[in-house]
Amino acid sequence: RAQGRRRGDNRRMPKTPKFYTSLFAGLMVALAAGAVWSLVALMLRNDAPWMAIPLALVGAIAAGFVPVRHAWGRAAWAALLTLAGIAYAQFLHAANVISIALGTPLRDTLAAIGTEMAFALSVARISRVGAIAIAIAPILAAALAWHRARRA
């Protein structure tokens, strides 16, 4: 018996690399923050562009899941995760708007609209303040993640 292995272990089961598991965890955290943004926008009945800033904080924290060696790598992942959360939030919010306008269930709307339509609706509805907040969010997330990585 190999050292460190217990009886009953399935030897054919592949081992998931830590990088991909950690990246998946960070992505799920960022997407969950995007879903919260969509929910807040739905409850307040506006686009809630200020939610981009808390999403940047979550993106910086989620980048901590990804095992990278350098501070610039952590900053890049923070910006990418923040952009993923923003894209998901805008997609969900566009689906909510269409679903409410047409009176169809959200599940059917999510299946029917494409990313092009959701992107077009998001761009059409965004205000100047919202565009600025969305542009600043990945930069803020990268700066926060870089600072956290440099301190560690």
Side-chain angles (χ1 to χ4, degrees):
R1 190 165 80 168
Q3 187 177 10
R5 295 193 57 93
R6 286 185 248 155
R7 202 162 37 153
D9 283 348
N10 188 353
R11 293 179 190 258
R12 289 180 286 164
M13 189 150 179
K15 295 187 182 207
T16 306
K18 182 180 178 184
F19 177 79
Y20 295 116
T21 305
S22 302
L23 178 61
F24 183 73
L27 182 62
M28 289 298 109
V29 169
L31 294 180
V36 169
W37 180 358
S38 178
L39 182 63
V40 168
L42 182 65
M43 291 175 62
L44 295 178
R45 295 189 176 143
N46 67 12
D47 291 337
W50 51 270
M51 282 294 292
I53 304 306
L55 189 84
L57 298 174
V58 171
I61 292 169
F65 286 112
V66 184
V68 291
R69 292 183 185 186
H70 303 288
W72 58 267
R74 177 98 20 109
W77 278 112
L80 288 173
L81 292 173
T82 301
L83 286 171
I86 289 171
Y88 188 61
Q90 295 302 312
F91 179 76
L92 286 178
H93 187 59
N96 282 329
V97 168
I98 293 169
S99 176
I100 291 169
L102 296 179
T104 59
L106 181 62
R107 176 178 274 169
D108 295 339
T109 306
L110 284 170
I113 70 169
T115 55
E116 298 87 12
M117 184 176 182
F119 179 72
L121 184 64
S122 295
V123 169
R125 291 180 51 91
I126 197 78
S127 65
R128 184 172 289 155
V129 172
I132 291 170
I134 287 173
I136 289 174
I139 298 167
L140 177 64
L144 289 172
W146 184 81
H147 182 68
R148 285 184 67 203
R150 296 288 288 174
R151 281 189 0 188

Coordinates of all heavy atoms in Angstrom, one line a residue, residues 30-62:
A30 N -17.1 35.7 -7.8 CA -17.3 36.9 -8.6 C -18.7 36.8 -9.2 O -19.4 37.8 -9.3 CB -16.2 37.0 -9.6
L31 N -19.1 35.6 -9.7 CA -20.4 35.5 -10.4 C -21.5 35.6 -9.3 O -22.6 36.2 -9.7 CB -20.5 34.2 -11.1 CG -19.6 34.0 -12.3 CD1 -19.8 32.6 -13.0 CD2 -19.8 35.1 -13.3
A32 N -21.3 35.2 -8.1 CA -22.3 35.3 -7.1 C -22.5 36.8 -6.8 O -23.6 37.3 -6.5 CB -21.9 34.6 -5.8
A33 N -21.4 37.6 -6.7 CA -21.5 39.0 -6.5 C -22.2 39.7 -7.6 O -23.0 40.6 -7.4 CB -20.1 39.6 -6.3
G34 N -22.0 39.2 -8.9 CA -22.8 39.7 -10.0 C -24.3 39.5 -9.9 O -25.1 40.3 -10.2
A35 N -24.6 38.3 -9.4 CA -26.0 37.9 -9.2 C -26.6 38.8 -8.1 O -27.8 39.2 -8.2 CB -26.1 36.5 -8.8
V36 N -25.9 39.1 -7.1 CA -26.4 40.0 -6.0 C -26.6 41.4 -6.6 O -27.6 42.1 -6.3 CB -25.4 40.1 -4.8 CG1 -25.7 41.2 -3.9 CG2 -25.4 38.7 -4.1
W37 N -25.7 41.9 -7.5 CA -25.9 43.2 -8.1 C -27.2 43.2 -8.9 O -28.0 44.1 -8.8 CB -24.7 43.5 -9.0 CG -24.8 44.8 -9.7 CD1 -25.8 45.7 -9.7 CD2 -23.8 45.3 -10.6 NE1 -25.5 46.8 -10.5 CE2 -24.2 46.6 -11.1 CE3 -22.5 44.9 -11.0 CZ2 -23.5 47.4 -11.9 CZ3 -21.8 45.7 -11.9 CH2 -22.3 46.9 -12.3
S38 N -27.4 42.1 -9.6 CA -28.7 42.0 -10.4 C -29.9 42.0 -9.5 O -30.9 42.7 -9.8 CB -28.7 40.8 -11.3 OG -29.9 40.6 -12.0
L39 N -29.8 41.4 -8.4 CA -30.9 41.3 -7.5 C -31.2 42.7 -6.8 O -32.3 43.1 -6.7 CB -30.7 40.3 -6.4 CG -31.7 40.1 -5.3 CD1 -33.0 39.6 -6.0 CD2 -31.3 39.2 -4.3
V40 N -30.1 43.4 -6.5 CA -30.2 44.7 -5.9 C -30.9 45.7 -6.9 O -31.8 46.5 -6.6 CB -28.9 45.3 -5.4 CG1 -28.9 46.7 -5.1 CG2 -28.5 44.5 -4.2
A41 N -30.4 45.6 -8.2 CA -31.0 46.4 -9.2 C -32.4 46.1 -9.5 O -33.2 47.0 -9.7 CB -30.2 46.2 -10.5
L42 N -32.8 44.9 -9.4 CA -34.2 44.5 -9.5 C -35.1 45.0 -8.4 O -36.2 45.5 -8.6 CB -34.3 43.0 -9.6 CG -35.7 42.4 -9.8 CD1 -36.3 42.8 -11.2 CD2 -35.7 40.9 -9.7
M43 N -34.5 44.9 -7.2 CA -35.3 45.4 -6.0 C -35.4 46.9 -6.0 O -36.5 47.4 -5.6 CB -34.7 44.9 -4.7 CG -34.8 43.4 -4.6 SD -33.9 42.8 -3.1 CE -34.7 43.6 -1.8
L44 N -34.4 47.6 -6.4 CA -34.4 49.1 -6.4 C -35.1 49.7 -7.7 O -35.3 50.9 -7.7 CB -33.0 49.6 -6.2 CG -32.3 49.3 -4.9 CD1 -30.9 49.9 -4.9 CD2 -33.1 49.9 -3.7
R45 N -35.3 48.8 -8.6 CA -35.9 49.2 -9.9 C -35.1 50.3 -10.7 O -35.6 51.2 -11.2 CB -37.3 49.7 -9.7 CG -38.2 48.6 -9.3 CD -39.6 48.9 -9.3 NE -40.4 47.8 -8.9 CZ -41.5 47.8 -8.2 NH1 -41.9 49.0 -7.8 NH2 -42.1 46.7 -7.9
N46 N -33.8 50.1 -10.6 CA -32.8 50.9 -11.4 C -31.6 50.1 -11.6 O -31.5 49.0 -11.2 CB -32.5 52.3 -10.7 CG -31.7 52.2 -9.4 OD1 -31.2 51.1 -9.1 ND2 -31.6 53.2 -8.7
D47 N -30.6 50.6 -12.3 CA -29.4 49.8 -12.7 C -28.4 49.6 -11.6 O -27.6 48.8 -11.7 CB -28.7 50.5 -13.9 CG -29.6 50.4 -15.2 OD1 -30.4 49.5 -15.2 OD2 -29.4 51.2 -16.1
A48 N -28.5 50.4 -10.5 CA -27.6 50.4 -9.4 C -26.2 50.3 -9.8 O -25.4 49.4 -9.5 CB -28.0 49.2 -8.5
P49 N -25.7 51.3 -10.5 CA -24.3 51.3 -11.0 C -23.3 51.4 -9.9 O -22.1 50.9 -10.0 CB -24.2 52.6 -11.9 CG -25.3 53.5 -11.4 CD -26.4 52.6 -10.9
W50 N -23.7 51.8 -8.7 CA -22.8 51.9 -7.6 C -22.4 50.5 -7.1 O -21.4 50.4 -6.4 CB -23.4 52.7 -6.4 CG -24.8 52.2 -6.1 CD1 -26.0 52.7 -6.6 CD2 -25.1 51.2 -5.1 NE1 -27.0 52.0 -6.0 CE2 -26.5 51.1 -5.1 CE3 -24.4 50.4 -4.3 CZ2 -27.2 50.2 -4.3 CZ3 -25.0 49.5 -3.5 CH2 -26.4 49.4 -3.5
M51 N -23.1 49.5 -7.5 CA -22.7 48.1 -7.1 C -21.5 47.6 -7.8 O -20.9 46.6 -7.4 CB -23.9 47.2 -7.4 CG -25.1 47.2 -6.5 SD -24.6 46.6 -4.8 CE -24.3 44.9 -5.1
A52 N -21.0 48.4 -8.8 CA -19.7 48.0 -9.4 C -18.5 48.1 -8.4 O -17.6 47.3 -8.5 CB -19.4 48.9 -10.6
I53 N -18.6 49.0 -7.5 CA -17.5 49.2 -6.5 C -17.5 48.1 -5.5 O -16.4 47.5 -5.3 CB -17.7 50.6 -5.8 CG1 -17.7 51.7 -6.8 CG2 -16.6 50.8 -4.8 CD1 -16.6 51.8 -7.8
P54 N -18.6 47.6 -4.9 CA -18.5 46.4 -4.0 C -18.1 45.2 -4.8 O -17.4 44.3 -4.3 CB -19.9 46.3 -3.5 CG -20.5 47.6 -3.5 CD -19.9 48.3 -4.7
L55 N -18.5 45.1 -6.1 CA -18.1 44.0 -6.9 C -16.6 44.0 -7.1 O -15.9 43.0 -7.2 CB -18.8 44.0 -8.3 CG -18.6 42.8 -9.1 CD1 -19.6 41.7 -8.7 CD2 -18.7 43.1 -10.5
A56 N -16.0 45.2 -7.2 CA -14.5 45.3 -7.3 C -13.8 44.8 -6.0 O -12.8 44.1 -6.1 CB -14.1 46.7 -7.6
L57 N -14.4 45.1 -4.9 CA -13.9 44.6 -3.6 C -13.9 43.0 -3.6 O -13.0 42.4 -3.2 CB -14.6 45.2 -2.5 CG -14.5 46.7 -2.3 CD1 -15.4 47.1 -1.2 CD2 -13.1 47.1 -2.1
V58 N -15.1 42.5 -4.1 CA -15.2 41.1 -4.1 C -14.3 40.4 -5.1 O -13.7 39.4 -4.9 CB -16.7 40.7 -4.4 CG1 -16.9 39.2 -4.7 CG2 -17.6 41.1 -3.3
G59 N -14.1 41.1 -6.2 CA -13.1 40.6 -7.2 C -11.7 40.6 -6.7 O -11.0 39.6 -7.0
A60 N -11.3 41.6 -5.9 CA -10.0 41.6 -5.3 C -9.9 40.4 -4.3 O -8.8 39.8 -4.2 CB -9.7 42.9 -4.6
I61 N -10.9 40.2 -3.5 CA -10.9 39.1 -2.6 C -10.9 37.7 -3.3 O -10.2 36.8 -2.9 CB -12.1 39.2 -1.6 CG1 -11.9 40.4 -0.7 CG2 -12.2 37.9 -0.7 CD1 -13.1 40.8 0.1
A62 N -11.7 37.6 -4.3 CA -11.8 36.4 -5.1 C -10.4 36.0 -5.8 O -10.1 34.9 -6.0 CB -12.9 36.4 -6.1

